[in-house]
Amino acid sequence: MSEIASKKHYMFRQSVFDRKKHTIRTILLCCIGTFITACASIGTPSGGDYDLDPPKVVKVTPEFNATNVQKGRVEIIFDELVQLEKQDEKIIITPPQQNFPNIRAVNNRVVVDLRDTLLANTTYTIDFTDAIVDNNEKNVLENFAISFSTGDVVDSLSVSGKVLTADNLEPVSGMYVGIHSDLSDTAFIKKPFLRISRTNELGKFTIKGIAPGKYRIYALNDINRDYRYNDPGEAIAFLDEVIVPSTEAASRQDSIFDIKHIFDTIKTVHYTRFLPDDIVLRSFTSSFKRQYLQKVERPSDDVLNIFFGSATQMPKIEPLDIPAGIDEWSVLERSAGNDTLKFWITKPAIVQMDSINLKISYYMTDSLNQLQPVSDTLSFVNRRRKQDEKEREKKEKEKEKRKKDGKEEEEKIDFLNISTDISQAFDVYKNINIEFDRPIIDLQKNQLKLKELVDSTYQDRDFVLSNDTLSPRKYIIQYKWRQGSQYKFEVDSAAIHSYDGRWNNKFESGFKVKTEDQYGIISFYLEGVPDSIPAFIEILDKSDRVIRKAKVSLPKTSVPNLDPGVYYARIVIDNNDNGKWDPGEYTESNKREPEMVYYYSKSIDLKAYWEMEEDWTVNKLPLDKQKPLDITKNKPKDNDRKKKELERREANEKRRGNSQNSSNTNSTTNNSNATNNYNNTYQ
């Protein structure tokens, strides 16, 4: 081949190679660009203002405060997509509706169709409370309500307040609050509410659309949703005073912030105040409970159980197939209200009976909530007898087999168990409580020993022994302890026997009584407590649980021998002087408010060997401001919760974006290196 031809052939090959190289480079760069663009489009840009604004109303049909409305359909249009949350619980329509309306959210609209026939010359109010939220961030449209009238006038007065549980001043949520223009005591029982509201999470309520006049106000946990009190199991509250809704001109100071949420100025806002706006209703459930025989059982050979649905007076019981009375062949263990009766059979011959029949006469609540005498025949069948016999036979065979094999073990004794509430560091004000796992034949004081350590020797001490009034298995030892002394409680082996032939193993428990410098004292100088009515103070822990109780003495009440710690306190005005808080009653013949309870509004940090003296005017603060927030269960919501959630969400998005950008950068770098390597190779 000539030199010229060879050069032409080389140039042709180089041209083809350059075109291939350029094509490959172009394809590779396009792929890299496409990959980076795709990665960059993932996620949403971070930064910018948070969406904290609730939905805005664009149009309402019928219009706000419209009159002479004939159709029971309401439509609200918003500026964005909306949802309804817990609409059956949160949305309140007044007058109360017998047929629950059809309420729904459709895109940016909320539609309400009332199913009850509209009443003439009546103001209707639909209170959405906080049920309406936007579709994305769930921002709540607070306290939104609309009113319209079927007549010429829209009633516009309102009253508001709180519902608290009467015994611990805890805010009550989800409770109906209603008014009656009929001022008789029977209206609450016989008539549905005229207008209603419902308490929110903090127990707050507002009844809207009220006409001028005089009213009585009630709260009701309306189980059967008939808007009247006809079930003693429903929690209620009532106010003895008549309320008269009114208005007054008022003003408040509002703080104004700039766009960066920095304080700017104070603005005076004038508004109409609706009164009364500080009503406090104290909720309780009647002590009335339906009485009925719930069930009977014989869980073992020697036990008969009878259960009632609520506290009852002691029934009359007669054996049908045993000649002796039940108290001659059993001992009774019962609850304080006699709703649980436990008969321990003490005669072996009766224990062996497969069935025991008793005639029982008691009182049962009828459909009119009246007590009626009833007699029943109860049959107690020992359904475990065959199973127990099989287990005993099995154990006997195993015992015989071990004996034949020369592996006989010492037979274990089934002792009568003893338990006490003795702790190594014992409180000076406590008694020793003793409990056996079965009733015992007879317990004498000389069968028990209490000793005190004196000069390195334990010496016997005399004490007071008493039976528990409800249980034949429980006893109480009372003694005036010396602070700082060491004691020992002992029971010799086989000193005590049960009816079924068991005896106790040796029991011994030592303890030391706490010294004075291990305790503190809380004293209150009280004002506002009536001196003619008994009352008691309860010292509470951080869980609102009662630690100690003391009768009120004026002007100073002290509670000694308290362990160091943080405490709270409340006072119960004990009208009937029975040492406990009692609920109220509301019947046609008897109306009684629950006993009054007051909380000390601060915590008390008690140190060892200190006496904390506190001034306490029980009615200085309104009831709804008394209970410390630390021990209140229904606390206010965190107003910044939504903002914090959005900040957290944006931070996560930013982290994902940074991670993705880092990945993209690495990918770009790697691909760039690959391109450079390619160029270096083929150039």
Side-chain angles (χ1 to χ4, degrees):
M1 183 182 293
S2 67
E3 182 178 351
I4 295 174
S6 177
K7 285 184 178 180
K8 287 183 178 179
H9 179 70
Y10 172 79
M11 291 177 65
F12 175 76
R13 289 180 58 194
Q14 185 66 35
S15 174
V16 172
F17 178 79
D18 287 344
R19 285 197 297 270
K20 286 183 178 180
K21 183 172 69 173
H22 177 73
T23 302
I24 294 172
R25 182 186 297 174
T26 303
I27 293 171
L28 185 60
L29 289 175
C30 288
C31 290
I32 293 171
T34 303
F35 177 76
I36 293 173
T37 304
C39 290
S41 67
I42 296 174
T44 56
S46 61
D49 293 335
Y50 300 114
D51 178 14
L52 298 175
D53 295 327
K56 293 182 177 60
V57 177
V58 175
K59 184 180 179 182
V60 176
T61 307
E63 296 180 349
F64 287 105
N65 298 323
T67 56
N68 299 308
V69 174
Q70 302 301 316
K71 295 182 179 180
R73 182 184 177 89
V74 174
E75 183 175 348
I76 310 135
I77 300 176
F78 296 92
D79 64 342
E80 58 180 315
L81 301 180
V82 294
Q83 296 179 4
L84 292 173
E85 291 188 342
K86 299 181 180 178
Q87 60 205 58
D88 292 349
E89 298 177 16
K90 294 184 176 183
I91 300 175
I92 303 298
I93 298 178
T94 190
Q97 304 292 291
Q98 296 300 319
N99 300 301
F100 197 81
N102 181 15
I103 307 173
R104 59 201 181 277
V106 183
N107 297 325
N108 66 332
R109 297 180 301 140
V110 170
V111 180
V112 179
D113 285 314
L114 302 181
R115 292 177 174 173
D116 287 2
T117 303
L118 295 183
L119 303 174
N121 299 313
T122 300
T123 296
Y124 281 78
T125 300
I126 304 175
D127 190 348
F128 291 90
T129 61
D130 58 352
I132 299 175
V133 300
D134 65 31
N135 198 53
N136 293 323
E137 303 298 345
K138 300 296 186 290
N139 293 311
V140 178
L141 180 59
E142 299 274 4
N143 302 318
F144 176 64
I146 62 173
S147 293
F148 63 87
S149 176
T150 57
D152 297 329
V153 177
V154 175
D155 299 321
S156 59
L157 296 177
S158 67
V159 297
S160 57
K162 271 189 177 182
V163 178
L164 309 174
T165 48
D167 60 338
N168 62 11
L169 303 190
E170 190 72 23
V172 182
S173 62
M175 197 167 188
Y176 286 106
V177 183
I179 57 172
H180 279 293
S181 57
D182 183 343
L183 304 183
S184 66
D185 292 338
T186 58
F188 185 33
I189 299 172
K190 296 182 176 180
K191 297 181 179 180
F193 286 133
L194 183 66
R195 303 195 73 79
I196 61 170
S197 178
R198 201 173 187 183
T199 58
N200 65 9
E201 290 89 346
L202 301 180
K204 295 180 180 180
F205 68 88
T206 300
I207 304 176
K208 302 175 181 179
I210 303 175
K214 296 180 179 181
Y215 300 91
R216 288 197 181 274
I217 188 167
Y218 307 87
L220 174 65
N221 181 24
D222 196 10
I223 297 173
N224 54 14
R225 202 159 184 167
D226 61 356
Y227 306 106
R228 69 189 79 189
Y229 178 50
N230 51 18
D231 183 348
E234 295 174 330
I236 63 167
F238 63 93
L239 203 64
D240 256 344
E241 305 144 17
V242 172
I243 62 170
V244 181
S246 63
T247 62
E248 68 175 18
S251 63
R252 65 174 182 266
Q253 303 296 319
D254 281 0
S255 299
I256 307 300
F257 296 85
D258 64 16
I259 194 170
K260 296 182 178 179
H261 303 288
I262 299 174
F263 175 75
D264 187 14
T265 185
I266 294 178
K267 180 181 179 182
T268 300
V269 178
H270 298 280
Y271 68 98
T272 300
R273 181 181 177 186
F274 294 91
L275 300 172
D277 58 1
D278 57 355
I279 299 169
V280 175
L281 295 168
R282 298 185 299 126
S283 166
F284 66 92
T285 302
S286 169
S287 57
F288 172 86
K289 297 289 185 297
R290 298 185 65 83
Q291 295 183 22
Y292 59 95
L293 182 63
Q294 191 175 52
K295 68 173 182 176
V296 299
E297 64 180 16
R298 188 178 180 181
S300 62
D301 292 355
D302 57 349
V303 173
L304 310 178
N305 286 333
I306 302 176
F307 299 96
F308 290 91
S310 64
T312 183
Q313 65 184 67
M314 187 64 194
K316 181 181 178 182
I317 299 175
E318 305 172 69
L320 296 179
D321 40 16
I322 303 170
I326 191 170
D327 56 343
E328 297 179 40
W329 48 266
S330 70
V331 292
L332 173 62
E333 180 176 340
R334 63 189 180 89
S335 61
N338 298 319
D339 52 335
T340 300
L341 305 178
K342 187 173 195 174
F343 292 94
W344 293 87
I345 303 173
T346 59
K347 302 296 183 184
I350 299 176
V351 170
Q352 296 302 316
M353 294 178 64
D354 286 336
S355 64
I356 298 173
N357 297 303
L358 303 176
K359 179 184 178 182
I360 181 170
S361 301
Y362 61 99
Y363 284 95
M364 185 177 73
T365 307
D366 63 15
S367 58
L368 299 176
N369 294 331
Q370 302 297 317
L371 290 177
Q372 300 294 337
V374 177
S375 292
D376 278 330
T377 298
L378 309 179
S379 182
F380 297 85
V381 179
N382 189 349
R383 304 186 186 278
R384 292 182 51 87
R385 174 62 58 80
K386 292 182 179 179
Q387 183 179 346
D388 291 342
E389 288 178 354
K390 288 181 180 179
E391 289 177 358
R392 279 194 293 268
E393 289 176 2
K394 183 179 178 182
K395 288 180 181 179
E396 286 296 328
K397 289 180 180 178
E398 290 175 352
K399 183 179 176 181
E400 288 295 328
K401 186 177 183 301
R402 286 195 300 269
K403 187 175 181 180
K404 287 180 181 179
D405 295 341
K407 298 179 181 179
E408 186 176 4
E409 300 175 358
E410 184 179 347
E411 187 174 354
K412 293 182 180 180
I413 300 174
D414 189 8
F415 286 110
L416 172 67
N417 291 323
I418 304 174
S419 61
T420 70
D421 59 353
I422 295 174
S423 57
Q424 288 186 341
F426 199 71
D427 285 304
V428 67
Y429 56 85
K430 283 187 176 180
N431 299 321
I432 295 178
N433 293 291
I434 308 168
E435 183 174 347
F436 301 93
D437 62 343
R438 309 184 70 79
I440 56 178
I441 294 175
D442 190 20
L443 182 63
Q444 301 297 323
K445 193 164 68 170
N446 59 12
Q447 296 170 295
L448 310 176
K449 295 178 183 178
L450 180 66
K451 298 179 178 182
E452 182 179 3
L453 183 64
V454 181
D455 297 330
S456 72
T457 304
Y458 278 100
Q459 299 180 6
D460 289 334
R461 292 290 180 256
D462 193 19
F463 56 88
V464 175
L465 178 67
S466 58
N467 290 79
D468 185 270
T469 57
L470 300 175
S471 174
R473 302 181 296 109
K474 298 178 181 179
Y475 293 81
I476 303 165
I477 287 179
Q478 295 172 292
Y479 184 75
K480 189 174 182 180
W481 311 108
R482 286 203 314 148
Q483 289 186 302
S485 285
Q486 292 187 18
Y487 295 86
K488 188 159 55 174
F489 173 66
E490 297 178 343
V491 184
D492 288 336
S493 177
I496 304 169
H497 293 76
S498 63
Y499 286 97
D500 61 350
R502 303 183 194 186
W503 65 86
N504 68 288
N505 200 358
K506 183 177 176 60
F507 183 89
E508 182 179 300
S509 183
F511 58 98
K512 183 177 181 179
V513 177
K514 293 179 182 178
T515 58
E516 185 181 3
D517 59 4
Q518 291 179 275
Y519 290 115
I521 302 173
I522 299 178
S523 297
F524 293 101
Y525 291 92
L526 299 170
E527 290 187 16
V529 179
D531 55 6
S532 59
I533 302 176
F536 57 85
I537 283 181
E538 292 179 328
I539 303 298
L540 314 168
D541 65 8
K542 293 180 180 179
S543 300
D544 205 19
R545 183 172 58 92
V546 178
I547 300 299
R548 294 283 300 284
K549 187 164 71 172
K551 291 204 74 169
V552 165
S553 60
L554 298 176
K556 179 182 178 181
T557 300
S558 297
V559 185
N561 302 320
L562 289 166
D563 290 326
V566 176
Y567 294 101
Y568 303 83
R570 67 181 172 218
I571 283 180
V572 177
I573 307 300
D574 192 13
N575 294 319
N576 56 5
D577 199 18
N578 65 351
K580 65 177 184 177
W581 176 84
D582 290 296
E585 287 291 340
Y586 199 104
T587 64
E588 292 188 34
S589 58
N590 182 23
K591 188 174 76 168
R592 184 186 73 250
E593 289 193 87
E595 290 180 332
M596 222 37 224
V597 172
Y598 301 97
Y599 269 76
Y600 187 59
S601 60
K602 297 180 289 185
S603 63
I604 304 165
D605 191 0
L606 182 64
K607 309 296 184 183
Y609 213 47
W610 278 27
E611 179 178 4
M612 301 292 294
E613 295 186 336
E614 306 287 333
D615 295 323
W616 186 359
T617 303
V618 297
N619 48 13
K620 182 178 180 179
L621 293 174
L623 283 181
D624 61 319
K625 301 290 192 302
Q626 290 189 6
K627 188 169 186 178
L629 193 61
D630 291 346
I631 58 173
T632 299
K633 295 178 177 60
N634 282 343
K635 291 180 173 62
K637 286 184 177 179
D638 183 1
N639 292 329
D640 293 331
R641 180 178 60 84
K642 175 63 70 175
K643 184 175 179 179
K644 290 176 181 177
E645 171 63 22
L646 290 171
E647 288 174 346
R648 184 189 64 78
R649 191 182 302 175
E650 184 176 85
N652 289 338
E653 290 287 343
K654 188 177 292 185
R655 280 196 296 271
R656 285 197 294 269
N658 291 339
S659 175
Q660 189 65 58
N661 290 337
S662 175
S663 175
N664 293 344
T665 302
N666 292 335
S667 298
T668 303
T669 302
N670 293 336
N671 287 311
S672 177
N673 290 337
T675 304
N676 291 335
N677 291 336
Y678 172 85
N679 291 335
N680 292 334
T681 301
Y682 289 98
Q683 283 181 352

